[in-house]
Amino acid sequence: MTKKNADYLLKITPVGGVGQIGSNMTLVQSQKDCIIIDAGILFPYEDFFDINYLIPDLAHIPEPSHLVITHGHEDHIGAVVDVVKKFPKIQIIATPFTLALIRKKLEFNHLQAKLVEYKVSDELGFHEFNIYPIHVNHSIPETVGLLIKDQKEKMGLFFTSDFKIDHVSPYERPFDFQKLKRLSANLESRLLLCDSTNITSSALTTKGEAEIIPVMDELFQQAPERIFITCFSSNIHRLSTIINLAVKHNKKVVPYGRSMISYLNSANELGMIPNFEKAVRMPETVKGDTENLIVLLSGCQGDFRGTFRRFCMGEDSIFKPRPTDTVILSSKAIPGNEKKISLLLNKLAEVNCHIFTPQTHLVHVSGHPGRKDLLELFSEYKPHHIIPIHGETYFIREHIKFIQEEYPNAQTHYILNNDELTISQDLKLKTTQCEHFEPILIHGKGIEIQRPRISERRKLACNGAIFVSLKLSSTKAKVESFTYDYLGLPDLIHETDDKFNKFLNHYFITINFKDIEAATEDLRVAIRKYFDQSLGYKPMTTVHVL
Amino acid sequence: MTKKNADYLLKITPVGGVGQIGSNMTLVQSQKDCIIIDAGILFPYEDFFDINYLIPDLAHIPEPSHLVITHGHEDHIGAVVDVVKKFPKIQIIATPFTLALIRKKLEFNHLQAKLVEYKVSDELGFHEFNIYPIHVNHSIPETVGLLIKDQKEKMGLFFTSDFKIDHVSPYERPFDFQKLKRLSANLESRLLLCDSTNITSSALTTKGEAEIIPVMDELFQQAPERIFITCFSSNIHRLSTIINLAVKHNKKVVPYGRSMISYLNSANELGMIPNFEKAVRMPETVKGDTENLIVLLSGCQGDFRGTFRRFCMGEDSIFKPRPTDTVILSSKAIPGNEKKISLLLNKLAEVNCHIFTPQTHLVHVSGHPGRKDLLELFSEYKPHHIIPIHGETYFIREHIKFIQEEYPNAQTHYILNNDELTISQDLKLKTTQCEHFEPILIHGKGIEIQRPRISERRKLACNGAIFVSLKLSSTKAKVESFTYDYLGLPDLIHETDDKFNKFLNHYFITINFKDIEAATEDLRVAIRKYFDQSLGYKPMTTVHVL
């Protein structure tokens, strides 16, 4: 990021979420203020081998006073713990349900932070700007967009966060265009930071949550026996649909999996699940063979340690798939997880379960706007400037192309993570390309693992490893004994052990152990070459000389 | 597989391709005949770390006399080399283009085999059945379905192979329903082994190759400068479309990447590319900055070592992406490759290339039948029995459900790899579930790597490795010296080296090296536990005591 430049009104820096899907975090600065909006994680987007998640690199941002959260998805709150560790004085501002989720996270990590609750009707005042929460629709309750206005009310910047437009949701009112328009109508300049997630989707309008209900109703009616449903645990409205239909069909709902139970309890504690007592039963109170069961499985992305996967693989101790089971995937694969999920469908198909997916039935709707929905927002808010956010670079470019073609009234601006968008006192916009920082990989007990270490892991996985130890005679003149181990190498290699032993013994004679370091490296290189000839690749080789 | 059972007319055993997409191989046996149809590879369907491919386990099939090939895709011919190694006497029967591809494969591997060319008009005679090739459409030229009829012409089994129905292809005649009907009309029993690849696709009818032409034409017209296109190198008709349009727009076509050049040359040698001389130039003859270039990039699946990836990453020495470049993805992601490809699109978007994909433009059509196409085949051939093949287990089940709902005239039969379908002398069908064998993983120089070794690789990649060596005193009473190395572990671990040294020294005192094996194992377990406490996972640990 550049040094504080003279006299801007507002400076916006996406720290995460622009140029990638996830790890949403946006820095908003005025001369006197420095806050961040959201603190999300990024799910591993390429093969990082079992790491937990990625977070934006926090080393390069100034200390923010506040963290304002738009909604409780992991890609918006997952890095709260990391932010609190880095900036212990930060105040976290969120709506009740989101705050409940954050509180659990902090407790789990034995961390404390100043938490402040806000309601969508509130106004959040800072030194030089105010933030007006605007109710939007999404796939988790209490999602808000944020309208940021300078004190003089010349300029407004509407940060959509993730959103959709649902005019007929049974669970919440539609996107609050009225409030947005009321608060922005008289502004000289209206800016829009807008969700790009579904810009390449062929669905121009995103369907409403209500459209799932008759489909689920029919599937519940048809189901010969037990019903298993997997969806995002945070999709409380989806869970409500299922629980309400369970009451109608006289079935019991069992949340199964840590996150499913946790989200459902959080929502219920805030009174968001009216039929909870009537229909929901905890897994320890039911037997696997009860007929009238609807089991809600967490891990809809096929996660390796997830409940959905365990069920499909037949590895769960209570619930094993049966031909009479109905299995509904009420969620879509996040890009990268398609194959993992389809392999699980095969497992269910082997058993001959009744399988229903979003590809064949309307059992899932997206939480993001299609292109026509975007146009609806544009025509309501009438932005002068649009800056696409929340999307991979390709999506950001496609979004800009779309705006240029379909809403030429607005000027478009292209920024990625770490770049700056500056709004001057006279409301001119400037984008500045800055140094880009790679997200940080977190593994195990919340520990950063560096990319060169991931490269080592990749080499180990792709080429296997050989460990060789030698014991020199006291004069270092000869090798007294040696031993070696192969890891991850084909069994064939054991058949040629004699040859390898001969090779080593022959090599030891030629080598001078006076310079142990050089001798060790020579031997290491020679062993790699030796195996390359037979295997076609060089195992990672470590040699110890003692 | 079961032992030869009494008195069947024909026995069909899918060796690969049923319950998975790829490694297509089908065993066809009568009392006196044993042949296989196709010998394909399976692309890695989960994280097998850089292996080349998978092949069906050939240890469990009887020796076939002939291998009849339906078309030249890798999932139908990729394992020919492995089959020839296992069954050196086998005769390989294929059409001219396919045979040219197989010949290259064998030459590359310094292998010889008896090769026999057939034309689609030929009849292939065996002891107890004849095979009649039927021309079908697909995404590679010279694709044939095979109608197998017993000598008495009571029964016919039509093996579709991969197919689509293209009534208006500019490059080949439509699926030869006339021949299929003529040869099967009078049979008592008609069986169909039918492609399931697109059964869950929302496109009910697969579009024809011709429909791409006007779209490509328009894109070529618009392109401000160079055009880069990636598609399957074997899609010769697609390449013809591009080359023909290049002539029209006065552009030159440069195939770039080993497989693109190889396929194009093979097709040209057989006279399949009329405009080759006029438009095609080899990469060494052109400069990267020529304006009127169309560059055909191989590696459309984003393969790690592929040309398309190298270009996108800006790592190619001749062609670097520029904002004036048009990049067309004329292929779809094979499930599992979506994310890999989308990351490459991001790289192109950073440069601001003009990107066109099948999601936004009709620049690709599938090579497999939609559900309406399947019904067209059913109503033409009028099968009594349908056995879905070529698909994952979920697809096979969905295909059966579809037939039961939409074509109840036919009986459906469910078999997976290694199962048997027996047709008795009186034309009764029986399916027998048999032991299933996992496909074999091939890595490096065509060497089998066992699944337990892959598990080791996974552990190395997910948990890193520690390698510790100790040198004992001559009496084995104490440790004289030791050394250790970390592989793939977070940098943090180096900060606690002192603590680890203390831990080891302390541990050495407590341990009794009389039983070296037990002592080594104790130490290994203790080290793993030690690191688990700080990291949250146990590195793979190897201890050498000398």
Side-chain angles (χ1 to χ4, degrees):
Chain A
M1 274 148 251
T2 57
K3 293 278 161 218
K4 224 177 186 184
N5 46 3
D7 199 26
Y8 58 84
L9 186 62
L10 210 64
K11 191 162 74 177
I12 308 291
T13 309
V15 184
V18 189
Q20 68 208 171
I21 299 260
S23 71
N24 297 293
M25 187 183 291
T26 307
L27 191 67
V28 179
Q29 290 170 277
S30 66
Q31 299 295 332
K32 292 185 189 160
D33 295 294
C34 176
I35 69 165
I36 44 178
I37 299 175
D38 292 333
I41 56 165
L42 185 65
F43 295 103
Y45 49 85
E46 55 179 68
D47 206 347
F48 292 128
F49 311 116
D50 197 47
I51 64 158
N52 312 2
Y53 53 79
L54 297 96
I55 57 166
D57 188 345
L58 300 173
H60 309 279
I61 66 167
E63 175 149 9
S65 61
H66 297 79
L67 167 58
V68 182
I69 303 283
T70 63
H71 65 286
H73 276 153
E74 281 300 300
D75 56 342
H76 292 256
I77 67 166
V80 159
V81 162
D82 305 271
V83 166
V84 169
K85 280 183 188 166
K86 172 84 182 163
F87 306 114
K89 285 188 247 160
I90 200 163
Q91 282 192 27
I92 302 172
I93 312 180
T95 56
F97 176 59
T98 309
L99 208 59
L101 301 177
I102 291 172
R103 201 172 282 123
K104 278 193 180 178
K105 252 179 214 303
L106 293 170
E107 276 166 16
F108 185 80
N109 285 277
H110 311 292
L111 273 178
Q112 290 202 315
K114 177 137 196 219
L115 304 180
V116 182
E117 191 174 295
Y118 76 88
K119 292 202 182 60
V120 69
S121 53
D122 289 346
E123 194 184 311
L124 310 175
F126 297 91
H127 291 104
E128 293 177 312
F129 54 77
N130 295 317
I131 297 185
Y132 303 85
I134 308 288
H135 166 74
V136 302
N137 306 114
H138 188 40
S139 46
I140 186 168
E142 294 189 2
T143 302
V144 293
L146 302 173
L147 178 65
I148 304 170
K149 294 204 288 187
D150 66 299
Q151 295 287 16
K152 292 184 187 156
E153 307 225 334
K154 292 191 293 181
M155 185 268 332
L157 184 154
F158 182 53
F159 179 91
T160 65
S161 185
D162 292 343
F163 79 101
K164 70 190 277 190
I165 302 168
D166 193 339
H167 288 293
V168 292
S169 169
Y171 305 109
E172 59 178 10
R173 61 206 166 91
F175 191 126
D176 195 349
F177 287 130
Q178 295 316 315
K179 182 175 176 186
L180 178 62
K181 277 154 64 175
R182 183 166 45 78
L183 290 170
S184 63
N186 297 322
L187 298 170
E188 277 178 56
S189 183
R190 282 181 296 274
L191 279 63
L192 179 66
L193 265 75
C194 188
D195 183 3
S196 311
T197 309
N198 274 12
I199 193 70
T200 63
S201 168
S202 57
L204 301 183
T205 311
T206 299
K207 289 185 194 298
E209 195 61 32
E211 300 186 55
I212 295 174
I213 300 176
V215 181
M216 287 278 194
D217 193 8
E218 174 67 23
L219 293 182
F220 283 22
Q221 183 64 42
Q222 283 175 12
E225 226 210 34
R226 308 182 304 182
I227 299 171
F228 292 83
I229 305 176
T230 190
C231 67
F232 286 102
S233 309
S234 59
N235 198 333
I236 303 301
H237 295 155
R238 188 71 45 84
L239 300 180
S240 295
T241 292
I242 294 164
I243 291 168
N244 296 343
L245 285 171
V247 171
K248 176 179 170 189
H249 290 276
N250 198 24
K251 291 176 185 286
K252 296 299 170 219
V253 174
V254 178
Y256 198 46
R258 199 172 60 90
S259 89
M260 193 59 86
I261 294 171
S262 170
Y263 276 98
L264 205 53
N265 280 335
S266 294
N268 184 47
E269 281 159 20
L270 291 167
M272 297 163 91
I273 317 273
N275 277 317
F276 188 93
E277 296 301 332
K278 226 182 268 180
V280 177
R281 297 293 175 270
M282 285 300 137
E284 53 274 18
T285 68
V286 295
K287 284 181 192 155
D289 50 16
T290 310
E291 269 179 40
N292 275 327
L293 274 193
I294 297 170
V295 184
L296 298 173
L297 303 163
S298 50
C300 66
Q301 294 302 305
D303 329 39
F304 193 67
R305 297 179 186 86
T307 311
F308 175 57
R309 182 188 169 88
R310 202 172 62 227
F311 166 71
C312 295
M313 299 297 289
E315 292 167 358
D316 187 66
S317 56
I318 306 183
F319 302 109
K320 307 248 182 248
R322 302 196 295 228
T324 48
D325 287 340
T326 297
V327 183
I328 304 171
L329 271 74
S330 185
S331 55
K332 254 190 66 179
I334 292 175
N337 296 336
E338 296 87 348
K339 191 73 195 179
K340 208 159 50 173
I341 295 171
S342 81
L343 288 172
L344 296 180
L345 292 188
N346 289 337
K347 289 289 170 188
L348 298 174
E350 274 175 32
V351 180
N352 206 8
C353 299
H354 304 256
I355 304 170
F356 302 93
T357 78
Q359 262 196 299
T360 59
H361 292 74
L362 186 57
V363 288
H364 173 67
V365 293
S366 169
H368 298 274
R371 272 170 281 171
K372 277 195 177 166
D373 300 320
L374 290 174
L375 287 179
E376 186 176 348
L377 168 62
F378 300 165
S379 72
E380 294 277 5
Y381 176 57
K382 300 194 176 25
H384 303 96
H385 301 275
I386 307 178
I387 305 101
I389 56 165
H390 293 190
E392 310 204 2
T393 312
Y394 171 59
F395 292 14
I396 304 289
R397 292 284 192 192
E398 287 292 305
H399 197 162
I400 285 179
K401 215 162 78 180
F402 168 73
I403 296 162
Q404 288 171 346
E405 281 163 15
E406 301 291 330
Y407 195 79
N409 294 347
Q411 242 186 290
T412 58
H413 303 269
Y414 169 78
I415 52 170
L416 295 183
N417 287 342
N418 309 119
D419 292 344
E420 285 177 2
L421 173 77
T422 320
I423 302 133
S424 67
Q425 296 291 354
D426 57 351
L427 308 185
K428 295 247 163 39
L429 268 65
K430 198 181 91 181
T431 55
T432 314
Q433 277 204 19
C434 302
E435 192 184 345
H436 288 195
F437 301 101
E438 290 287 333
I440 287 177
L441 292 75
I442 304 293
H443 189 206
K445 290 193 171 173
I447 297 167
E448 174 178 355
I449 177 155
Q450 295 71 20
R451 278 157 207 269
R453 303 292 86 73
I454 294 290
S455 297
E456 280 176 20
R457 291 182 171 203
R458 183 164 293 117
K459 281 182 198 154
L460 285 168
C462 295
N463 303 320
I466 298 178
F467 295 141
V468 181
S469 300
L470 325 178
K471 183 179 174 181
L472 296 185
S473 63
S474 52
T475 59
K476 294 188 182 172
K478 67 182 189 73
V479 175
E480 238 178 51
S481 63
F482 66 90
T483 185
Y484 54 85
D485 268 296
Y486 306 126
L487 291 173
L489 289 177
D491 291 353
L492 180 87
I493 211 165
H494 296 291
E495 294 172 19
T496 57
D497 254 351
D498 279 357
K499 217 181 122 199
F500 182 47
N501 276 301
K502 257 185 217 160
F503 163 79
L504 284 178
N505 279 314
H506 181 78
Y507 201 87
F508 292 156
I509 297 168
T510 68
I511 213 159
N512 181 348
F513 283 103
K514 283 276 149 60
D515 181 349
I516 286 202
E517 210 169 303
T520 306
E521 178 59 13
D522 284 353
L523 181 57
R524 194 185 71 81
V525 171
I527 292 172
R528 280 164 58 83
K529 262 194 206 156
Y530 171 86
F531 282 104
D532 189 22
Q533 278 171 12
S534 53
L535 296 175
Y537 52 90
K538 295 177 182 168
M540 257 193 121
T541 302
T542 309
V543 176
H544 285 170
V545 179
L546 288 171
Chain B
M1 276 149 249
T2 58
K3 293 277 160 216
K4 224 176 187 185
N5 48 3
D7 201 25
Y8 58 83
L9 186 63
L10 211 63
K11 192 162 75 176
I12 308 292
T13 308
V15 184
V18 189
Q20 68 207 173
I21 299 259
S23 71
N24 298 293
M25 187 183 292
T26 308
L27 192 67
V28 179
Q29 291 171 276
S30 67
Q31 300 295 332
K32 293 185 189 158
D33 295 294
C34 177
I35 68 163
I36 43 177
I37 299 174
D38 292 333
I41 56 165
L42 185 64
F43 294 104
Y45 50 85
E46 54 178 70
D47 205 348
F48 292 127
F49 310 115
D50 197 47
I51 64 159
N52 312 3
Y53 53 79
L54 297 95
I55 58 166
D57 188 346
L58 300 174
H60 309 279
I61 67 167
E63 175 148 10
S65 61
H66 296 79
L67 166 58
V68 183
I69 303 284
T70 63
H71 65 286
H73 277 153
E74 282 299 300
D75 57 341
H76 292 256
I77 66 166
V80 159
V81 163
D82 305 271
V83 167
V84 169
K85 280 183 188 167
K86 172 84 183 165
F87 306 115
K89 284 187 249 159
I90 200 163
Q91 281 192 28
I92 302 172
I93 313 180
T95 55
F97 176 59
T98 309
L99 208 59
L101 301 177
I102 291 173
R103 200 173 283 122
K104 277 193 180 177
K105 253 180 214 304
L106 293 170
E107 277 166 15
F108 185 81
N109 285 277
H110 311 291
L111 273 177
Q112 289 202 316
K114 178 139 194 218
L115 304 181
V116 182
E117 190 173 294
Y118 78 88
K119 294 207 180 57
V120 70
S121 53
D122 289 346
E123 194 184 312
L124 310 175
F126 297 91
H127 292 103
E128 294 177 311
F129 53 78
N130 295 318
I131 296 185
Y132 304 85
I134 308 287
H135 166 73
V136 303
N137 306 113
H138 188 39
S139 45
I140 186 169
E142 293 188 4
T143 303
V144 293
L146 302 173
L147 178 66
I148 305 170
K149 294 203 289 186
D150 66 299
Q151 296 286 16
K152 292 182 188 158
E153 307 226 335
K154 292 192 291 180
M155 185 268 331
L157 184 154
F158 183 52
F159 178 91
T160 65
S161 184
D162 293 343
F163 79 101
K164 69 189 279 188
I165 302 167
D166 193 340
H167 289 292
V168 292
S169 170
Y171 305 109
E172 58 179 9
R173 59 206 167 92
F175 191 127
D176 195 349
F177 287 130
Q178 295 315 314
K179 181 175 177 186
L180 177 62
K181 278 152 66 173
R182 183 166 44 79
L183 289 169
S184 64
N186 297 322
L187 299 170
E188 277 178 56
S189 184
R190 282 181 296 273
L191 279 62
L192 179 67
L193 266 75
C194 188
D195 183 2
S196 311
T197 309
N198 274 12
I199 192 70
T200 64
S201 168
S202 58
L204 302 182
T205 311
T206 299
K207 290 184 194 298
E209 194 61 32
E211 300 187 54
I212 294 173
I213 299 175
V215 181
M216 286 279 195
D217 193 7
E218 175 67 24
L219 293 182
F220 284 22
Q221 183 63 43
Q222 283 174 11
E225 224 210 35
R226 308 182 304 184
I227 299 172
F228 291 84
I229 305 177
T230 189
C231 68
F232 286 103
S233 310
S234 59
N235 199 334
I236 303 300
H237 294 156
R238 187 72 45 85
L239 301 181
S240 296
T241 292
I242 294 164
I243 290 167
N244 296 344
L245 285 171
V247 171
K248 176 179 169 188
H249 291 275
N250 199 24
K251 291 176 185 287
K252 296 298 169 220
V253 174
V254 179
Y256 198 45
R258 198 172 61 89
S259 89
M260 193 59 86
I261 294 170
S262 170
Y263 276 98
L264 205 53
N265 279 335
S266 295
N268 184 47
E269 281 159 20
L270 291 167
M272 298 163 89
I273 317 274
N275 277 317
F276 188 93
E277 296 301 332
K278 226 182 266 179
V280 178
R281 297 292 175 272
M282 287 300 139
E284 54 274 17
T285 68
V286 295
K287 284 182 193 154
D289 50 16
T290 310
E291 268 178 43
N292 274 328
L293 273 194
I294 297 172
V295 184
L296 298 173
L297 303 164
S298 51
C300 66
Q301 295 303 303
D303 329 38
F304 193 67
R305 297 181 187 84
T307 310
F308 176 56
R309 183 189 169 87
R310 202 173 62 227
F311 166 71
C312 294
M313 300 297 288
E315 291 166 358
D316 187 66
S317 57
I318 306 184
F319 301 110
K320 308 248 180 249
R322 303 195 295 225
T324 47
D325 287 340
T326 297
V327 184
I328 303 171
L329 270 74
S330 184
S331 56
K332 253 190 66 180
I334 292 176
N337 295 337
E338 297 86 348
K339 191 72 195 180
K340 207 160 49 174
I341 295 171
S342 80
L343 288 173
L344 295 181
L345 292 188
N346 289 337
K347 289 289 170 188
L348 297 175
E350 274 175 31
V351 179
N352 206 10
C353 299
H354 303 256
I355 304 170
F356 301 93
T357 78
Q359 262 195 299
T360 58
H361 292 75
L362 185 56
V363 288
H364 173 68
V365 293
S366 169
H368 299 274
R371 274 171 279 173
K372 277 195 178 168
D373 301 320
L374 290 174
L375 288 179
E376 185 175 350
L377 169 62
F378 300 166
S379 72
E380 294 277 5
Y381 177 56
K382 298 194 177 26
H384 302 96
H385 301 275
I386 306 178
I387 303 100
I389 55 165
H390 293 190
E392 311 204 0
T393 312
Y394 171 59
F395 293 13
I396 303 289
R397 292 283 193 193
E398 287 291 306
H399 197 163
I400 285 180
K401 215 163 78 181
F402 167 73
I403 297 162
Q404 288 170 347
E405 282 164 15
E406 301 290 332
Y407 196 79
N409 293 348
Q411 243 186 289
T412 58
H413 303 270
Y414 170 78
I415 51 169
L416 294 183
N417 286 342
N418 308 119
D419 292 344
E420 285 177 2
L421 173 78
T422 321
I423 303 133
S424 68
Q425 296 290 355
D426 57 351
L427 308 185
K428 296 248 162 37
L429 268 66
K430 199 181 90 179
T431 55
T432 314
Q433 277 204 18
C434 303
E435 191 183 346
H436 287 194
F437 302 100
E438 291 286 334
I440 288 178
L441 292 75
I442 304 294
H443 189 204
K445 290 193 172 173
I447 296 166
E448 174 178 355
I449 176 156
Q450 295 72 18
R451 278 157 206 270
R453 301 294 86 73
I454 294 289
S455 298
E456 281 176 18
R457 291 182 172 203
R458 184 164 292 118
K459 281 182 198 154
L460 285 168
C462 294
N463 303 319
I466 298 177
F467 173 34
V468 182
S469 300
L470 325 178
K471 180 179 175 182
L472 296 185
S473 64
S474 52
T475 60
K476 293 187 183 173
K478 67 181 188 74
V479 175
E480 236 178 53
S481 63
F482 67 91
T483 186
Y484 54 85
D485 269 294
Y486 306 125
L487 292 173
L489 289 176
D491 291 353
L492 181 85
I493 211 165
H494 295 290
E495 294 172 20
T496 58
D497 254 352
D498 279 357
K499 218 180 120 198
F500 182 48
N501 275 303
K502 258 186 213 159
F503 163 80
L504 284 179
N505 280 313
H506 181 79
Y507 200 87
F508 292 156
I509 298 168
T510 68
I511 212 158
N512 181 347
F513 283 103
K514 284 276 149 61
D515 182 349
I516 285 201
E517 210 169 303
T520 306
E521 178 59 13
D522 285 352
L523 180 58
R524 194 186 70 81
V525 171
I527 292 172
R528 279 163 59 83
K529 263 194 205 154
Y530 172 87
F531 281 104
D532 189 22
Q533 280 171 12
S534 54
L535 296 176
Y537 52 89
K538 295 176 181 166
M540 258 193 121
T541 302
T542 306
V543 176
H544 284 171
V545 179
L546 288 170

